[in-house]
Amino acid sequence: MENKIVVAIDGFSSCGKSTIAKRLAKDTGYIYVDTGAMYRAVGYFGIQKGIITETTINEEKLQKEMENIKITFGNVNGEQHTFLNGSDIEKKIRTLEVGNAASRVSTINFVRQAMVRQQQLMGLQKGIVMDGRDIGTVVFPKAELKIFVNADAEVRAKRRHNELLKKGEKVDYQEVLDNILERDYRDTHRKESPLIRAKDAKLLDNSSFDIELQQKVVMDWFNQIITN
Ligand code: DC
């Protein structure tokens, strides 16, 4: 297809960005890139190597190790998995602990620069749906379709809590809500590429949307651009 575009989806944690992005990629035949998974992979690597503890990050050591962090995506039984230096880490990076480490490393300048560089390379051929926090503002400021997703913090906490329970992680709701509020604060207040809505991003508040309705709205936006 000649007129492939770049779709940039940004928004707060646990607001369903990846559900939207995955479905859109599937329905359009585009490649899906979960940039949060890349920051999670760096967080996971740091924890494994003892570079990240609950209270500290050894930035000097992390910077030296950046060239040893190779993040790729692969298809496993029809699902996209994240690989770190060839190992499938998809399950391991979806915990609260790694989510927190990801949020902390994502405030570091050299980490962001390395991730953004890789993400821009992935989008050179277009035909890509990428989700994250800075995709429409920093990674692809010229993306043809930008969507900024949000939902009430309580709605997001309930969704994330259910997801974690289903995966067998025993956490209480308040802990999940606190975690979401803490991450919202960090994502929007960090110095490096804070989460903000690009001026030309379409706003999607899905607090009271079901997945089908949400997908229809997004597909309509996509088709409007493709046919223009
Ligand atoms: O979307 P997620 O929860 O998997 O992302 C994990 C962390 O990575 C999140 O706290 C914010 C950060 N992140 C970022 O700073 N920039 C991105 N493009 C994607 C994620």
Side-chain angles (χ1 to χ4, degrees), residues 50-52 56-66 104-111:
I51 295 171
I52 302 175
T56 58
I57 299 179
N58 184 335
E59 288 197 22
E60 202 182 319
K61 210 163 168 199
L62 183 60
Q63 188 158 19
K64 279 198 194 120
E65 291 278 7
M66 284 309 288
R104 286 160 60 214
V105 293
S106 74
T107 64
I108 302 172
N109 197 356
F110 64 78
V111 174

Side-chain angles (χ1 to χ4, degrees), residues 35-36 39-40 102-103 106 112 132-135 183 187 190:
T35 64
Y39 290 93
R40 284 171 184 266
S103 171
S106 74
R112 298 208 72 84
R133 304 293 188 287
D134 59 342
I135 312 304
R183 286 217 267 157
D187 287 350
R190 64 173 178 235

